[in-house]
Amino acid sequence: MSIKFNLIAAACENMGIGKNNDLPWRLKSEMAYFTKMTSTTTDSRKKNVVIMGRKTWDSIPPKFKPLSDRINFVLSKSQLDLNQYKDVYGFTSWKEIQDRLNDNKFKDVYEIVWVVGGSRIYKEAMESKYFYRLYLTEIKKEFDCDTFFPKLGANLKQISDPDVPEEVQKEKGIEFQYKVYENNEYKEE
Ligand SMILES: NC(=O)c1ccc[n+]([C@@H]2O[C@H](COP(=O)([O-])OP(=O)(O)OC[C@H]3O[C@@H](n4cnc5c(N)ncnc54)[C@H](OP(=O)(O)O)[C@@H]3O)[C@@H](O)[C@H]2O)c1
């Protein structure tokens, strides 16, 4: 089975995703959707992998660290000391991540690979041959942001996923919609 990267992100109208190394909004139901999508497996013996950049890792409040019931991969140019955490691994390059995901022993323990940000991680994942789908929550409001989702390419086609509600959601007066895009250049190896 070849590697597939599923990206998951929430972006507002100006494609902002973050401000001061935090989320610009607090949407509990959107966060619950993120947790459900990234945690659910069909095989209960397996967990999903979540790949994130070091700044996104730093942005997670200590009580939510690591993202539970998921295998956390953190990318940094530095060797991070993550020994205190269970199911958390540091990587210094995408090549190291690719090697781990292709490792025969590790293949037995994970199911879906979710790329969970931030900006540079999304960009690099979308440029990779493993980029399969983008699960994008489109927040129908503009927020002040300093971090942005990369431009969507023409290779992306909107699709339906039975696990994703299509109707517009609303919380605290803010409307948002879960969208799914597939990379039509993705090829199974
Ligand atoms: N709305 C959303 O869905 C969403 C999702 C995730 C994050 N966010 C927000 O986004 C912001 C954080 O994102 P960000 O774009 O600033 O940072 P980021 O992508 O989370 O982290 C960037 C860091 O990742 C490491 N890195 C990136 N590419 C690498 C590579 N090829 N090899 C090795 N290391 C690599 C580097 O770490 P070192 O500097 O340690 O070398 C780099 O400084 C926060 O505001 C967060 O709340 C929003």
Side-chain angles (χ1 to χ4, degrees):
M1 197 191 67
S2 56
I3 300 170
K4 281 186 174 122
F5 287 159
N6 284 284
L7 277 62
I8 186 162
C12 61
E13 272 177 354
N14 47 347
M15 290 308 270
I17 61 165
K19 171 88 180 167
N20 298 331
N21 214 29
D22 198 357
L23 292 176
W25 48 77
R26 282 281 167 267
L27 294 170
K28 263 186 143 179
S29 58
E30 206 286 322
M31 195 54 90
Y33 167 80
F34 169 83
T35 302
K36 178 169 170 274
M37 294 302 291
T38 56
S39 306
T40 306
T41 55
T42 51
D43 182 340
S44 60
R45 291 165 303 179
K46 294 187 177 181
K47 287 181 184 172
N48 294 329
V49 170
V50 283
I51 302 175
M52 70 195 87
R54 192 262 309 158
K55 290 182 184 166
T56 295
W57 169 258
D58 286 346
S59 79
I60 303 171
K63 65 176 176 178
F64 295 120
K65 240 169 167 161
L67 297 182
S68 58
D69 301 321
R70 288 153 282 183
I71 304 164
N72 292 224
F73 280 14
V74 186
L75 247 178
S76 169
K77 288 276 174 222
S78 312
Q79 298 280 354
L80 301 175
D81 180 11
L82 300 165
N83 287 333
Q84 61 178 302
Y85 302 103
K86 188 176 173 282
D87 274 348
V88 183
Y89 303 94
F91 295 89
T92 57
S93 68
W94 285 99
K95 173 75 174 70
E96 276 182 24
I97 289 185
Q98 177 191 322
D99 291 346
R100 180 68 63 89
L101 294 172
N102 277 327
D103 179 287
N104 278 333
K105 263 196 237 137
F106 191 69
K107 271 183 175 173
D108 291 339
V109 305
Y110 78 90
E111 202 166 279
I112 302 169
V113 180
W114 290 98
V115 175
V116 302
S119 187
R120 201 169 121 201
I121 300 293
Y122 287 136
K123 185 168 186 294
E124 291 168 348
M126 286 204 293
E127 286 166 359
S128 126
K129 62 177 178 175
Y130 302 125
F131 170 38
Y132 177 55
R133 282 184 179 178
L134 165 63
Y135 288 73
L136 183 66
T137 304
E138 295 180 1
I139 299 176
K140 299 173 186 299
K141 190 178 163 176
E142 209 167 302
F143 286 83
D144 181 25
C145 294
D146 59 18
T147 313
F148 296 85
F149 195 86
K151 208 171 162 340
L152 303 192
N155 53 320
L156 289 181
K157 187 184 82 188
Q158 200 183 333
I159 58 151
S160 289
D161 178 327
D163 294 329
V164 176
E166 291 193 337
E167 61 280 6
V168 174
Q169 313 287 310
K170 200 170 182 177
E171 189 180 322
K172 295 188 199 157
I174 301 168
E175 290 192 328
F176 54 100
Q177 197 167 15
Y178 303 124
K179 300 265 180 84
V180 187
Y181 297 92
E182 198 158 274
N183 173 16
N184 57 25
E185 288 168 3
Y186 176 81
K187 285 188 194 71
E188 195 89 36
E189 280 182 339

